[in-house]
């Protein structure tokens, strides 16, 4: 596994993340790993559009289907 170092993180941010990690019953490392893994799993709008185009190119998908799928992905991001 790779190691990531983040420099110049404001003290307030570090404190907030440590509190959130403790509230979730995880170490700060485990909490941050979950955040990073979750973020990496989400599609960017560009990736979602490319995926939608690829699906449309090989099937009977309408523009409305694509719009709905993109909307659902945006909702999932919060």
């Amino acid at each position: 596994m790779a190691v990531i170092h983040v420099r110049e993180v404001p003290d307030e941010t570090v404190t907030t993340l440590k509190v959130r990690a403790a509230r979730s019953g995880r170490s700060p490392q485990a909490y941050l790993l979950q955040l990073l893994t979750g973020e990496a799993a989400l599609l960017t709008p560009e990736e979602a559009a490319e995926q939608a185009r690829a699906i449309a190119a090989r099937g009977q998908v309408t523009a409305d289907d694509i719009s709905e799928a993109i909307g659902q992905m945006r909702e999932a991001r919060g």
Side-chain angles (χ1 to χ4, degrees), residues 56-68:
R58 65 177 190 263
Q60 298 292 327
V61 179
T62 66
D64 289 337
D65 294 332
I66 294 170
S67 294
E68 183 179 340

Side-chain angles (χ1 to χ4, degrees), residues 4-64:
I4 297 175
H5 295 275
V6 180
R7 296 183 178 159
E8 300 182 26
V9 179
D11 291 338
E12 184 177 311
T13 300
V14 172
T15 300
T16 298
L17 292 170
K18 285 181 178 180
V19 168
R20 289 179 183 171
R23 286 183 180 158
S24 69
R26 286 176 277 191
S27 68
Q29 179 179 336
Y31 182 77
L32 291 170
L33 179 59
Q34 177 199 2
L35 289 178
L36 289 171
T37 302
E39 180 62 28
L42 294 174
L43 296 175
T44 66
E46 294 81 15
E47 291 167 336
E50 178 58 35
Q51 192 174 72
R53 282 192 289 275
I55 292 168
R58 65 177 190 263
Q60 298 292 327
V61 179
T62 66
D64 289 337

